[in-house]
């Protein structure tokens, strides 16, 4: 078993005088939803439009939208620091809105069936609308081994559901504290003879005090039983940002290597 150390002290603290990536908001036309939708995009320090980059789609939880990571997780600080410490492959990170419906703001009753359904509909928005938009507007590699999907909670469930049923699109998958939208392990990985050769990384993590930990544990145990290589990482903490920021740090440095 791989020993995983927590993030180094200060990994999420702003450092003066280091090269910075750029965080911006884009709008793309969604044929799935029928209107234009927002996503945030982080390009790394020294980003160049003449270089080709791999891409990570990083999803939010039930209470968030495309700004949730930016507002609560300081990804820009974490990633800038990691580049400065030579820990990361140059990659573009996209923060989509995973609630694929015309009003996709995180307001009202977030558990309404229509809103939960919209998290499922996002699969089509991602594959048919957002990925094509990103590939025509950013210098991205277009192959499965250069595409990753990960997310927290609702977004962790989406990453497992979407990633594992679209292995022709994604070779790198991460679920942080996956929520009850996660399909049962038997549905996630029906063909455990095929998945291992297609997965460059399957990362599953959860805080040990998270009430939802049984979901992650269930997936981990099923994968272990059937010999599907993956990383299972249980960490200190609950269903909360210190855990997800740490997950971003740990997961992102394993990508595209
Ligand atoms: C649920 C409990 C939690 C659920 C979703 C969540 C769909 C999501 C939590 C989060 O995203 O933080 O029963 O059902």
């Amino acid at each position: 078993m791989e020993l995983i150390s927590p993030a180094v002290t200060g990994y999420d603290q702003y450092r003066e005088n280091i090269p910075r990536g750029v965080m911006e908001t884009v709008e793309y036309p969604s044929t799935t939803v029928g209107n234009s939708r927002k996503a945030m995009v982080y390009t790394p320090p020294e980003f160049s439009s003449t270089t080709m980059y791999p891409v990570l789609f990083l999803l939010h939880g039930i209470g968030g939208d495309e700004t949730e990571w930016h507002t609560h997780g300081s990804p820009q600080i974490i990633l800038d620091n990691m580049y400065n410490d030579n820990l990361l492959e140059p990659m573009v990170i996209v923060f989509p809105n995973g609630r694929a419906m015309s009003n996709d703001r995180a307001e009202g009753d977030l558990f309404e069936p229509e809103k939960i359904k919209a998290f499922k509909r996002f699969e089509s928005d991602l594959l048919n609308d957002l990925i094509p938009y990103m590939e025509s507007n950013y210098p991205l590699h277009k192959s499965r081994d250069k595409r990753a999907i990960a997310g927290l909670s609702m977004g962790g469930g989406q990453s497992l559901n979407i990633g594992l049923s679209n292995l022709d699109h994604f070779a790198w998958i991460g679920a942080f504290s996956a929520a009850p939208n996660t399909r049962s392990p038997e549905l996630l990985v029906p063909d455990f003879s095929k998945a291992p050769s297609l997965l460059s990384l399957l990362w599953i993590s959860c805080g040990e005090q998270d009430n939802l930990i049984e979901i992650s544990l269930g997936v981990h145990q099923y994968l272990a039983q059937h010999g599907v290589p993956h990383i299972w990482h249980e960490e200190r903490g609950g269903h909360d940002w210190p855990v997800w920021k740490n997950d971003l740090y740990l997961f992102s440095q394993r990508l595209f290597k």
Side-chain angles (χ1 to χ4, degrees):
M1 214 165 97
E2 188 185 349
L3 190 64
I4 298 176
S5 316
V8 291
T9 312
Y11 80 107
D12 60 347
Q13 299 303 309
Y14 183 87
R15 292 185 204 160
E16 302 286 347
N17 303 320
I18 61 167
R20 310 238 162 257
V22 171
M23 188 73 90
E24 59 197 352
T25 300
V26 298
E27 278 197 41
Y28 62 99
S30 170
T31 56
T32 302
V33 178
N35 55 12
S36 109
R37 311 198 67 227
K38 287 185 178 146
M40 293 190 80
V41 178
Y42 170 88
T43 48
E46 282 141 55
F47 173 76
S48 152
S49 58
T50 55
T51 307
M52 297 293 274
Y53 294 86
V55 60
L56 162 64
F57 293 88
L58 188 56
L59 311 178
H60 60 81
I62 200 164
D65 56 29
E66 74 282 356
T67 66
E68 187 181 43
W69 272 96
H70 178 66
T71 306
H72 298 281
S74 39
Q76 200 171 350
I77 295 174
I78 294 172
L79 297 163
D80 288 348
N81 290 348
M82 291 180 77
Y83 280 110
N84 198 49
D85 293 342
N86 252 324
L87 288 171
L88 278 184
E89 285 298 306
M91 68 181 90
V92 172
I93 303 188
V94 186
F95 301 86
N97 183 314
R99 190 183 293 100
M101 61 195 292
S102 51
N103 179 0
D104 60 10
R105 296 303 96 190
E107 53 193 26
D109 175 7
L110 298 169
F111 289 85
E112 246 169 51
E114 269 313 302
K115 293 180 186 159
I116 299 296
K117 238 188 261 167
F119 277 90
K120 189 162 188 297
R121 187 180 303 120
F122 176 68
E123 176 169 1
S124 162
D125 181 77
L126 174 64
L127 298 179
N128 302 319
D129 303 312
L130 181 55
I131 290 180
Y133 171 86
M134 285 305 301
E135 289 179 349
S136 28
N137 289 279
Y138 289 81
L140 299 182
H141 287 294
K142 296 185 171 70
S143 54
R144 59 179 299 283
D145 55 311
K146 301 288 186 189
R147 253 188 237 122
I149 183 166
L152 72 92
S153 200
M154 257 335 241
Q158 286 178 305
S159 298
L160 292 174
N161 297 345
I162 298 172
L164 288 167
S165 59
N166 294 281
L167 288 169
D168 53 333
H169 284 79
F170 302 98
W172 311 80
I173 300 171
F176 314 155
S177 321
N181 62 328
T182 306
R183 284 186 195 128
S184 70
E186 297 76 15
L187 293 177
L188 281 177
V189 186
D191 186 352
F192 33 78
S193 63
K194 214 170 106 206
S197 65
L198 292 171
L199 283 165
S200 298
L201 174 62
L202 176 51
W203 165 284
I204 297 165
S205 57
C206 196
E208 61 190 2
Q209 286 151 37
D210 192 322
N211 292 333
L212 302 178
I213 196 169
E214 290 305 321
I215 294 161
S216 298
L217 268 176
V219 178
H220 156 58
Q221 282 157 0
Y222 176 88
L223 296 171
Q225 265 162 27
H226 295 287
V228 180
H230 64 288
I231 293 181
W232 162 240
H233 180 53
E234 195 171 314
E235 52 193 298
R236 264 182 227 131
H239 199 73
D240 212 349
W241 281 99
V243 169
W244 301 323
K245 288 165 67 178
N246 195 51
D247 287 331
L248 171 61
Y249 175 89
L250 296 174
F251 174 75
S252 60
Q253 64 186 281
R254 287 170 170 77
L255 290 178
F256 310 123
K257 291 182 174 165

